[in-house]
């Protein structure tokens, strides 16, 4: 077992360039029994500074879409393919993805979620192990295997894509709605219990 009880890696020096560029390891955040898990690419500058995934501009886009689906961060787990910020925010190298894959596999195995949503090209290709045309495959569900763990995977565009291409907004928002529905969480999964709020 490589992760602690909170599914965190506390020490790792497998990738020399990332050890150099990071100020900390950014572990996944959210409940350790979440039914819905989001997997991004890698921490950026804000995530590296604050030690949490998706807390910069992409995180705001994700939070807005979660809210529209009747969810908050407390309802979902959010993690990344790699846990250390790459220099100049470059894409993770193949070896770096491979070095970190065991951690992600163990995290998913222990979470045993209903659904994993891959945010963007890098996580979609990493977990499906093939090339993915994210814009056209967004909203599609696939069966995949990460390490020894079978998962149900929904492809999504990266939240940042909506910031430079407004036409991606609707694709992103409807994918998050679909995710909540498939995982049976949020407004779609709350059923009668939500009536108690009024
Ligand atoms: N983009 C990602 O893919 N992951 C983060 O944690 C932040 C931005």
């Amino acid at each position: 077992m490589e992760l602690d009880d909170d599914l965190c890696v506390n020490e790792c020096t497998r990738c020399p360039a990332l050890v150099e560029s990071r100020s900390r390891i950014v572990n996944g955040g959210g409940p350790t029994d979440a039914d819905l898990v989001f997997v991004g690419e890698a921490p950026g500058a804000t995530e590296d500074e604050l030690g949490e995934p998706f807390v910069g501009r992409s995180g705001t886009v994700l939070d807005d879409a979660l809210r529209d689906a009747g969810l908050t961060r407390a309802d979902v787990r959010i993690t990344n393919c790699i846990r250390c910020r790459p220099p100049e925010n470059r894409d993770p190298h193949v070896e770096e993805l491979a070095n970190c894959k065991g951690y992600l596999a163990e995290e998913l195995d222990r979470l045993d979620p209903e659904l994993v949503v891959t945010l963007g090209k890098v996580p979609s290709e990493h977990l499906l192990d093939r090339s993915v045309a994210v814009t056209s495959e967004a909203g599609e569900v696939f069966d995949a295997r990460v390490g020894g763990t079978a998962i149900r995977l929904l492809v999504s565009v990266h939240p940042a894509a909506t910031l430079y291409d407004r036409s991606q907004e609707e694709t992103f928002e409807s994918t998050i709605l679909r995710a909540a529905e498939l995982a049976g969480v949020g407004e779609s999964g709350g059923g009668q219990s939500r009536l108690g709020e009024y």
Side-chain angles (χ1 to χ4, degrees):
M1 194 168 85
E2 298 194 274
L3 305 183
D4 70 13
D5 289 347
D6 296 321
L7 309 179
C8 291
V9 177
N10 294 303
E11 216 187 287
C12 183
T13 51
R14 287 179 195 169
C15 307
L18 301 186
V19 170
E20 187 72 26
S21 62
R22 74 180 182 206
S23 39
R24 72 195 79 233
I25 295 171
V26 179
N27 285 294
T32 53
D33 61 352
D35 281 331
L36 179 55
V37 180
F38 292 90
V39 180
E41 180 177 322
T46 317
E47 290 76 22
D48 178 70
E49 191 187 325
L50 300 177
E52 248 189 273
F54 285 96
V55 285
R57 284 184 76 200
S58 300
T60 307
V61 175
L62 180 57
D63 286 340
D64 288 348
L66 287 174
R67 196 189 50 239
D68 289 347
L71 294 168
T72 69
R73 275 182 187 238
D75 301 312
V76 302
R77 187 151 183 106
I78 306 176
T79 192
N80 278 306
C81 292
I82 66 164
R83 295 176 190 238
C84 301
R85 182 194 181 194
E88 324 283 319
N89 292 337
R90 64 156 167 75
D91 281 354
H93 291 163
V94 174
E95 324 79 77
E96 293 163 351
L97 286 165
N99 285 343
C100 222
K101 195 164 191 177
Y103 299 140
L104 180 59
E106 187 181 336
E107 187 173 19
L108 295 176
D109 187 55
R110 283 171 50 191
L111 285 163
D112 190 23
E114 293 294 323
L115 187 73
V116 175
V117 181
T118 47
L119 298 170
K121 193 174 181 68
V122 169
S124 301
E125 295 194 335
H126 187 47
L127 296 191
L128 286 171
D129 202 20
R130 64 168 170 86
S131 63
V132 176
V134 179
T135 319
S136 56
E137 295 190 48
E140 289 187 38
V141 180
F142 301 95
D143 289 321
R145 213 159 242 290
V146 187
T149 305
I151 57 164
R152 198 172 182 212
L153 182 156
L154 176 70
V155 172
S156 173
V157 296
H158 194 280
T162 67
L163 298 170
Y164 51 81
D165 178 359
R166 290 278 159 198
S167 72
Q168 302 282 330
E169 249 170 46
E170 206 195 311
T171 311
F172 182 65
E173 287 162 11
S174 59
T175 304
I176 302 306
L177 278 173
R178 173 126 210 261
E181 205 175 285
L182 289 170
V185 295
E187 270 164 11
S188 56
Q192 291 286 312
S193 66
R194 284 188 66 83
L195 293 174
E197 290 170 24
Y198 299 102

